[in-house]
Amino acid sequence: MADDEVTIESLPELLKNDTKVKVAGIDVDGILRGKLMAKKKFLSIANGGFGFCSVIFGWDMHDQTYFKELKISNKENGYRDILAVPDLTTFRRIPWEDDVPFFLVSFFDPDTKEPVSACPRGLLKTVVGRLEEKGLGAMAGAEYEFYQFRAPASSNVPTTERNSSSTATFLKENPVNALPPLTEGMFGYSLTRPVHNQDYYYGIFDTCEKFECGIEGWHTESGPGVFEAALEFGEIKQMADKAGLFKYVVKSLGSKFGITPCFMAKPREGLPGNSGHMHVSIVDKTGKNLFYRGSKDANAEYPDLAYLSDMGRHFLAGLLDGLADIMPMMAPTVNSYKRLVENYWAPVTVSWGLEHRAASIRLIAPPTSSPKATRFEVRVGGADANPFYVLAAILALGWRGIEKKMKIEVPPLGKGEDVGGESDKGLRLAKSLKEANARFMRKESVAREVFGDEFVEHFGWSREHEIKIWDEAVTDWEVKRYIETV
């Protein structure tokens, strides 16, 4: 994201002192998949794109091919190449790798030249395009919580290479709970805890600024070795890029400090999980926030809606109507649902409320916020979710509500009312990935309406793969509980 627009014509001058370029795209799990290429090669493909093995959409996060062959990449098509096209607007330099130039790519079908259905950047761009056709845009912000563990020393690994790989080696021979946290104790918003790892803590903040995924707020969160980052808000597609690149920064710097950052939704039993809250609003061409009503509506159906525009109300109605149907996009792993349980600061129902931090959807609006900051904070997603899918889902559901002029069918949660309590009239969200995915993939799913069958079939079967692996797993808990008692 250079200050000046990057064009095909300006690339040779921009890269004149470089010999190599790094490129990366995003897979369904939100993982960056890329390569380093010679500058000469990059310049030759910058305009038309290059072949990238489609298997990144045919295997899971551990490079195991899906048990069911899917349309994008399979044995029958030879795991053929798809077209990867660099997005020149994403140019930045990687500060921790000697400022090597970096570009994100999007993936296209080589025959139709249409976005690959499961390409996260392509999916979000398609949804945003529906608004842009009406002269509108969307703004977004992201917040991530994540645990951090010290990569234990190993006699087989040099001390200079105490990184996430050494953590994986440690876990082959030791129980998960033996992995030491970065710091002990519950110290949310502590000013002293970051001093314990000062170079790492400030290093992340400063590096994110240089890598153009800047942090707006950065603090410790309640939990051993837990940090939370609120990223600088911006245009929704750029926000998704920044969210994905933020994880790249944290994991890269963590390796250099012998630290393993952990974005899984629930790393520790009995402690709060890692959230990935997303904030969204709609704006016009001038940047005016269209969720703000302009003046108080004394006759609003609920007092919470007094300052929310009709567009904002329809958007909220769309979110509430479709939320249960897109849960695998918000909570994509088996572990995600260990976070979404009662009494751990996580939402468990289709619920909303003005400034309600226990509800699935927190309305942020006057009188407690400024008019220009009116927005929805969707609190269901965890830090493990793909930010492109989460933002695409929020925007697609909300836009559906606007187009259909949907009405809010669920009353707000009152202050002091518990999510899942007697006064909560919202539908209970899925308790497992299996339950969530069955709803996501069913014929009448809202997900099929807003994203199409091809995406739902691909992503849904990728989740079925995850479910199958889990169903076949034998856990430590099971062995400890039953080994001698049954």
Side-chain angles (χ1 to χ4, degrees):
M1 294 172 61
D3 293 334
D4 298 322
E5 182 183 2
V6 179
T7 65
I8 293 295
E9 293 73 26
S10 67
L11 271 179
E13 177 64 22
L14 181 69
L15 305 177
K16 65 180 181 181
N17 296 321
D18 298 293
T19 60
K20 52 192 173 293
V21 176
K22 182 170 279 192
V23 297
I26 296 96
D27 70 9
V28 298
D29 292 300
I31 298 170
L32 287 166
R33 302 280 189 171
K35 61 173 72 175
L36 191 68
M37 60 172 61
K39 180 178 72 172
K40 182 178 179 181
K41 171 68 174 178
F42 178 79
L43 291 175
S44 73
I45 57 85
N47 190 30
F50 63 101
F52 201 114
C53 184
S54 65
V55 75
I56 65 166
F57 291 107
W59 63 21
D60 64 16
M61 63 183 72
H62 288 281
D63 296 1
Q64 180 179 336
T65 53
Y66 298 135
F67 75 89
K68 177 183 173 66
E69 295 276 84
L70 302 179
K71 180 179 178 180
I72 298 172
S73 184
N74 52 63
K75 290 180 182 177
E76 188 174 331
N77 68 20
Y79 300 102
R80 67 172 185 169
D81 278 358
I82 50 179
L83 189 63
V85 180
D87 182 345
L88 301 187
T89 69
T90 64
F91 168 70
R92 60 237 309 143
R93 292 181 179 275
I94 305 178
W96 63 94
E97 292 186 20
D98 299 323
D99 284 332
V100 64
F102 177 87
F103 295 86
L104 286 170
V105 303
S106 294
F107 298 108
F108 297 85
D109 184 290
D111 298 323
T112 67
K113 302 301 188 289
E114 293 294 319
V116 168
S117 62
C119 173
R121 298 188 84 239
L123 187 74
L124 180 56
K125 185 176 181 180
T126 298
V127 176
V128 174
R130 298 170 192 168
L131 279 71
E132 292 176 340
E133 288 176 0
K134 305 293 185 181
L136 305 176
M139 304 294 286
E143 302 174 15
Y144 282 120
E145 299 168 342
F146 56 102
Y147 281 64
Q148 287 147 114
F149 300 96
R150 291 197 179 278
S154 169
S155 58
N156 299 323
V157 179
T159 56
T160 54
E161 295 184 19
R162 280 182 59 210
N163 50 32
S164 298
S165 295
S166 63
T167 295
T169 301
F170 176 84
L171 291 177
K172 285 183 177 180
E173 302 171 354
N174 298 276
V176 171
N177 286 338
L179 193 62
L182 183 62
T183 56
E184 293 287 353
M186 311 287 277
F187 287 92
Y189 297 95
S190 172
L191 293 185
T192 57
R193 263 314 191 251
V195 179
H196 296 194
N197 301 277
Q198 183 170 319
D199 290 344
Y200 172 64
Y201 181 79
Y202 283 96
I204 290 176
F205 187 93
D206 294 340
T207 303
C208 283
E209 183 69 25
K210 293 174 184 175
F211 200 47
E212 301 189 46
C213 53
I215 297 174
E216 194 171 78
W218 182 225
H219 62 88
T220 61
E221 187 49 275
S222 187
V226 182
F227 288 172
E228 179 175 0
L231 305 185
E232 293 176 354
F233 89 102
E235 192 276 329
I236 194 167
K237 298 190 300 297
Q238 294 181 8
M239 186 70 250
D241 287 344
K242 292 176 182 177
L245 294 176
F246 168 74
K247 288 187 178 181
Y248 179 37
V249 172
V250 172
K251 291 178 180 181
S252 296
L253 263 67
S255 287
K256 291 182 178 293
F257 283 87
I259 294 168
T260 299
C262 175
F263 289 88
M264 66 183 290
K266 187 83 167 184
R268 285 286 194 247
E269 178 185 345
L271 291 170
N274 288 327
S275 68
H277 300 160
M278 295 291 178
H279 299 246
V280 175
S281 60
I282 292 179
V283 295
D284 64 15
K285 288 182 178 179
T286 69
K288 178 184 177 182
N289 188 321
L290 298 181
F291 284 170
Y292 174 59
R293 191 166 194 85
S295 60
K296 184 176 182 179
D297 178 4
N299 299 313
E301 183 178 5
Y302 304 111
D304 291 35
L305 300 173
Y307 290 95
L308 186 65
S309 68
D310 288 350
M311 176 185 280
R313 295 175 187 183
H314 294 319
F315 191 97
L316 174 58
L319 282 176
L320 294 168
D321 182 70
L323 182 60
D325 281 18
I326 52 83
M327 278 300 291
M329 300 175 76
M330 296 278 183
T333 73
V334 170
N335 179 257
S336 300
Y337 298 83
K338 299 294 178 73
R339 169 181 164 263
L340 299 175
V341 294
E342 288 81 356
N343 303 320
Y344 281 102
W345 291 88
V348 296
T349 62
V350 176
S351 52
W352 70 281
L354 179 66
E355 287 295 353
H356 206 302
R357 278 189 160 84
S360 292
I361 304 164
R362 172 189 171 209
L363 169 60
I364 301 171
T368 55
S369 78
S370 68
K372 66 181 181 181
T374 304
R375 64 194 187 276
F376 294 107
E377 179 190 22
V378 181
R379 299 174 58 82
V380 179
D384 57 342
N386 185 329
F388 297 87
Y389 285 173
V390 174
L391 290 172
I394 294 169
L395 197 59
L397 293 183
W399 187 246
R400 173 175 175 265
I402 291 170
E403 288 194 314
K404 295 192 171 189
K405 298 189 183 305
M406 298 179 77
K407 293 185 178 181
I408 297 166
E409 303 291 347
V410 181
L413 283 177
K415 298 296 184 291
E417 292 180 351
D418 294 328
V419 172
E422 199 171 308
S423 59
D424 186 352
K425 306 302 181 185
L427 177 72
R428 178 58 163 91
L429 295 172
K431 294 184 178 182
S432 69
L433 182 59
K434 181 178 288 188
E435 180 187 344
N437 206 47
R439 186 174 180 116
F440 175 74
M441 293 190 72
R442 78 193 201 285
K443 184 178 179 180
E444 63 274 23
S445 170
V446 173
R448 292 188 183 274
E449 179 183 340
V450 297
F451 294 121
D453 290 336
E454 192 171 328
F455 169 76
V456 171
E457 289 297 312
H458 184 96
F459 187 62
W461 279 107
S462 78
R463 296 311 91 189
E464 287 298 313
H465 173 85
E466 201 75 9
I467 293 163
K468 183 176 186 292
I469 291 174
W470 168 246
D471 284 346
E472 295 173 354
V474 178
T475 67
D476 288 354
W477 182 89
E478 293 168 274
V479 175
K480 288 178 180 178
R481 188 167 182 85
Y482 304 123
I483 190 169
E484 62 175 333
T485 56
V486 295

